[in-house]
Amino acid sequence: MNASQRQLNGDHWSDWLATDRPALLVRGSRSSVLGAGHARAMVARRPGARLVELPAGHTVHETVPDRFAVAVRGLLDAL
């Protein structure tokens, strides 16, 4: 668990920008892990990326699973 947590820290821009394939970034509007400004910067820097913010903390898929599913379905339907 500690090793996994350490991998979350650092600069991951090269990973995020490694492809221009469509991406959906789902952010909980009450997340203390991923700030709104950083999420907007992620989407602005990657072509084909889209941001959806839902009323939740960091675990959007657990808090609002139906709305999360609609967002994912929207991306998949657009492919």
Side-chain angles (χ1 to χ4, degrees), residues 7-57:
Q7 294 298 315
L8 297 175
N9 299 322
D11 183 348
H12 299 285
W13 280 109
S14 62
D15 296 326
W16 176 247
L17 299 173
T19 181
D20 63 356
R21 302 299 303 163
L24 176 65
L25 178 58
V26 180
R27 178 185 177 274
S29 61
R30 297 186 300 267
S31 176
S32 60
V33 177
L34 177 59
H38 191 79
R40 285 191 299 271
M42 289 175 70
V43 170
R45 288 183 63 183
R46 180 174 169 169
R50 188 176 82 142
L51 174 63
V52 171
E53 293 187 288
L54 298 175

Side-chain angles (χ1 to χ4, degrees), residues 20-24 46-50 71-79:
D20 63 356
R21 302 299 303 163
L24 176 65
R46 180 174 169 169
R50 188 176 82 142
V72 172
R73 192 171 301 118
L75 172 73
L76 295 176
D77 287 346
L79 297 178

